[in-house]
Amino acid sequence: MTQGMRAVALLSCCLALPAPAAENVFLITLDGLRWQELFSGGEAELVHDEAYTPAPEYVPGNFWQGSAEVRRAALMPFFWDTIAVRGTLIGNRLRGSEVNVSNRQWFSYPGYNEILTGFDDPEIVSNDRVPNRNVTVLEWVNRQPGFEGQVAAFASWEVFPWIINEDRSGVPVNAGFESASGLISERERYLNRLQSQTPSPFNTVRLDVFTHHFALEYLARESPRLLYIAYGETDDFAHSGDYRRYLDAAHRTDGFIRELWNFVQSDPRYRDRTTFVITTDHGRGSGAGWTTHDIDTPGADHIWVALLGPGIPARGELSGGAVFSQSQMAATVAELLGLHYRDRLEIGASILPSLD
């Protein structure tokens, strides 16, 4: 493949569908959140394992006690009182619902490339800060008529400017410990100062609260039509083996997504015109393997998807049926916006037809 071909490695066309399902789409990822916690809540075995939860008395009891339905509703209330009622949840393997990654790495950069491009690039084999040779759906949509300058990304992990290839794509990316810049609000100036004064427990990932509020401020000011938010704490607390803080991070991020939804529903520019597509970049192992993920970790290729908003049927929690792929996310985002997106390998078809 020539360098020029690499720059346009994603072959796609922009044939308009009969009508867009949504005027706006928010793509949201929770790094490394297991399907087990999303669909069953906290695991009592991990809560009571001193290697992962030295002080189980500090874990809210309703995160890990009672039935799976009680535990999951306590841990992720927005997912279960709103998305499960008005949208669709996919990936509870206990009910025969499956979503898998198609790349053979089972960690972050390959997973985010697959989410954002619709295919596995076998040459992406590390999390190094290397500009992505592939065109993401963010970059592609940003080139379509009516979407120019209407795409943005906010992420906790500092590698996202390379994954999205900010320099080539023209998509603004605020990631890692980066401050807000440009014509910013007084609140953003305060967030800049607060972020610089707040230590993160992680070397390459800022606390999600800053990603979230930088995104909210940008949203209120710029009204992008396609917004990507990548939260990161769940993965890093898991790698640290801290099950309590992993659960806390999942619960907190659920609250952030509720706040985003409430903002959308309160703003006439977005109300009833905006769809959320929510997923994760990889799964994790079970038992002692819950802290990690890679090709040698069974189950690390098992993920989930949640959808809410125009164009999404109120199917609730799916059981059985089609097996879905991480590679379908990019085409799904585009189809919701009324665009036909086809990756170079023809494997990333939208999941929407399977939900009808």
Side-chain angles (χ1 to χ4, degrees):
M1 182 182 291
T2 68
Q3 189 62 36
M5 291 172 66
R6 289 172 186 266
V8 290
L10 186 65
L11 298 179
S12 52
C13 63
C14 57
L15 300 175
L17 297 175
E23 292 184 21
N24 318 286
V25 171
F26 290 8
L27 174 63
I28 302 168
T29 52
L30 287 71
D31 199 308
L33 178 68
R34 299 196 308 169
W35 70 268
Q36 290 93 327
E37 278 77 27
L38 175 60
F39 291 102
S40 298
E43 288 189 13
E45 293 81 0
L46 294 176
V47 169
H48 289 296
D49 189 329
E50 291 186 358
Y52 309 122
T53 317
E57 65 271 20
Y58 291 112
V59 180
N62 54 1
F63 284 5
W64 57 274
Q65 293 175 331
S67 68
E69 289 76 17
V70 169
R71 297 195 306 269
R72 70 190 189 183
L75 183 66
M76 309 284 285
F78 179 72
F79 275 70
W80 293 104
D81 68 28
T82 301
I83 300 178
V85 174
R86 300 166 59 185
T88 298
L89 286 161
I90 313 170
N92 186 351
R93 305 179 89 86
L94 298 176
R95 298 183 61 170
S97 178
E98 297 185 19
V99 189
N100 303 310
V101 304
S102 64
N103 72 78
R104 298 297 296 168
Q105 303 301 323
W106 305 0
F107 58 83
S108 289
Y109 196 142
Y112 288 121
N113 173 77
E114 185 177 334
I115 290 169
L116 294 172
T117 67
F119 60 87
D120 165 34
D121 184 341
E123 293 191 22
I124 299 177
V125 294
S126 78
N127 283 334
D128 293 345
R129 291 182 290 181
V130 176
N132 196 345
R133 64 183 182 149
N134 304 307
V135 175
T136 70
V137 70
L138 305 176
E139 179 175 351
W140 182 84
V141 170
N142 196 48
R143 296 174 179 175
Q144 307 310 311
F147 290 92
E148 305 94 332
Q150 294 295 305
V151 182
F154 290 81
S156 295
W157 189 31
E158 68 177 14
V159 181
F160 269 97
W162 287 267
I163 296 173
I164 297 170
N165 201 330
E166 183 176 17
D167 290 341
R168 186 196 66 217
S169 70
V171 174
V173 183
N174 179 289
F177 301 96
E178 187 177 356
S179 296
S181 59
L183 297 175
I184 61 176
S185 66
E186 184 60 35
R187 182 175 173 82
E188 285 167 305
R189 283 189 283 273
Y190 174 72
L191 287 169
N192 285 345
R193 185 167 69 253
L194 193 63
Q195 179 175 240
S196 71
Q197 297 170 348
T198 304
S200 171
F202 315 119
N203 293 327
T204 63
V205 177
R206 69 179 168 200
L207 296 173
D208 286 335
V209 65
F210 294 108
T211 298
H212 177 70
H213 286 286
F214 279 131
L216 272 177
E217 286 298 298
Y218 185 91
L219 184 62
R221 183 179 66 250
E222 301 294 336
S223 304
R225 294 188 63 188
L226 175 54
L227 179 68
Y228 177 38
I229 305 178
Y231 298 106
E233 286 180 18
T234 41
D235 186 65
D236 284 85
F237 282 124
H239 281 304
S240 300
D242 193 331
Y243 195 62
R244 170 198 165 191
R245 287 184 170 81
Y246 165 78
L247 294 178
D248 285 343
H251 183 67
R252 188 164 46 248
T253 308
D254 176 271
F256 289 154
I257 298 171
R258 183 188 296 277
E259 187 174 12
L260 282 169
W261 183 253
N262 289 342
F263 173 88
V264 161
Q265 293 304 98
S266 69
D267 190 314
R269 297 168 296 182
Y270 288 109
R271 184 172 54 248
D272 299 327
R273 302 175 179 178
T274 305
T275 299
F276 283 16
V277 176
I278 312 169
T279 189
T280 188
D281 54 327
H282 53 73
R284 320 191 75 81
S286 300
W290 83 274
T291 66
T292 193
H293 55 88
D294 55 31
I295 191 65
D296 296 319
T297 305
D301 59 330
H302 299 166
I303 61 169
W304 51 267
V305 178
L307 305 111
L308 175 67
I312 305 302
R315 294 283 304 277
E317 183 182 7
L318 293 193
S319 297
V323 175
F324 297 94
S325 170
Q326 185 176 67
S327 63
Q328 296 179 274
M329 296 303 101
T332 300
V333 167
E335 182 173 334
L336 286 164
L337 292 169
L339 302 170
H340 184 69
Y341 180 91
R342 191 169 62 243
D343 70 56
R344 67 179 183 182
L345 300 180
E346 298 294 332
I347 60 173
S350 166
I351 68 175
L352 298 180
S354 297
L355 301 182
D356 291 338

